[in-house]
Amino acid sequence: MEFKKDPISPNLLLKLRKSLLSWFQKNKRNLPFRLNKNAYRIWVSEIMLQQTRVAAMLPIYETFLARFPNPSALQSASEDEVMKYWKGLGYYSRARNLKKGASLLVEKFAGEFPEKYEDALSIPGVGSYTASAVLSIAYGKPYAVLDGNVKRVLSRLFLIEQDPGLNSTNQLLGNLAQEFLTPESPGDHNEAMMELGALVCVPIPLCGSCPLAEHCEAKIAGREREIPVSKSVDNWIDLDLNFLFLKSKERLLLLKYPGRRFFKTIYSLPFRMEGKHPYETDPIVESLFDESKLNIHSNRVRHSITNHRIQLRFSERSEEDRTLIERTFSKNEDILFKWVREEDLKEEFPSSIAGKLIKLKNKTIKQPELPAGKI
């Protein structure tokens, strides 16, 4: 199948750009990261929105910026504190890269997000999409963005039938995005494309509300629900995670080390993967799960991390002699541990899993039986 190579006609370009921007001005959502063109705030929003819905991101975004209003504040904070304010967003490597990036902004770019594309790409966690988004929206630079929403809009608008997962298709869509970009207002154009894909050109499209429907090649061909072409590959991994509430002197043990599968950059309850799974056993935690000392609970709750469908459960264990426990970690300098109050668990283990485990644990507490005849 040949790729689309013909340039967009100048008259059509003008019509499409005008219709898109007019629709955006009338229909754009009033989002906090659109209140000003501050590059730092836009950068933070773009990183947070990776793999995260807007509704879930907004309250965390506002709290995060209230605490870290500029790169200097983010640079000077501890990693643990940054992780606490990131709680609920997951994918914690994003937060770690934000902190590294803030340090780079302070040390190399006088505390400002750089205006040059190559400099932007030097920031940890910033790729072509994020660089294009920040530079176009904050500084009016003519770089087109290409995220999932924009790919869907372009694929339908220009009837791109190639697999969007191919590098060649990605290059084709990138070229189209750049050709379609409104040079006089690239930031508004990029936001409009992302907004159109988020609100109207959704997986099951709302073509009656689309400002580009009259010229949409997929719509004209009656194939708007078939484009973009998708591969139905099921790459989910089913996984059972058992988290350990190991208590000593009224404190719970939390661990952090880079060698484990999940939570490499934050403190968490010790956990092990159980049942059938493709990963190697973690010897560090195996000794903590001493079956003879465990109180194992069967209640479970579902969770997901990237392409993992997870069943969460928990076990409990008490050990007053902390040295017996800590001796396990003395041979590995990469392992960090601390003891925290159970009521502080959600603060100290900054993941939505902590809240789910607490609810699950509370369900196991038997309610007192009422005397017969009492309600």
Side-chain angles (χ1 to χ4, degrees), residues 299-316:
N299 289 347
R300 300 172 187 267
V301 65
R302 286 182 290 185
H303 189 74
S304 63
I305 301 176
T306 56
N307 64 326
H308 295 81
R309 287 187 296 229
I310 296 173
Q311 292 283 341
L312 304 175
R313 68 167 178 160
F314 74 97
S315 298
E316 294 180 279

Side-chain angles (χ1 to χ4, degrees), residues 310-361:
I310 296 173
Q311 292 283 341
L312 304 175
R313 68 167 178 160
F314 74 97
S315 298
E316 294 180 279
R317 173 184 167 185
S318 295
E319 178 61 72
E320 287 305 308
D321 188 352
R322 291 186 183 178
T323 59
L324 292 175
I325 302 299
E326 294 171 2
R327 197 175 297 150
T328 305
F329 319 126
S330 61
K331 300 177 182 178
N332 193 329
E333 61 182 16
D334 288 335
I335 301 177
L336 301 177
F337 64 88
K338 61 182 174 181
W339 300 90
V340 303
R341 299 184 306 170
E342 186 164 348
E343 54 264 37
D344 296 332
L345 181 60
K346 288 200 289 186
E347 287 289 321
E348 300 288 351
F349 176 12
S351 166
S352 58
I353 284 181
K356 289 184 177 182
L357 290 171
I358 290 171
K359 288 182 180 179
L360 194 62
K361 191 169 183 286

Side-chain angles (χ1 to χ4, degrees), residues 214-227:
E214 179 183 354
H215 303 285
C216 177
E217 294 184 32
K219 171 67 174 172
I220 294 169
R223 300 183 58 195
E224 65 273 15
R225 294 199 178 194
E226 301 173 21
I227 304 294

Side-chain angles (χ1 to χ4, degrees), residues 3 11 17 58 75 81 93 99 131 136 157 186 189 199 225 244 274 288 291 318-319 323 328 331 349-350 353 366 368:
F3 288 166
N11 287 338
R17 290 166 175 168
L58 286 178
Q75 178 200 34
E81 184 181 17
S93 61
K99 179 168 168 53
S136 64
L157 183 60
H189 180 104
L199 300 181
R225 294 199 178 194
L244 180 60
E274 300 181 333
L288 301 178
E291 301 288 347
S318 295
E319 178 61 72
T323 59
T328 305
K331 300 177 182 178
F349 176 12
I353 284 181
K366 292 184 178 180

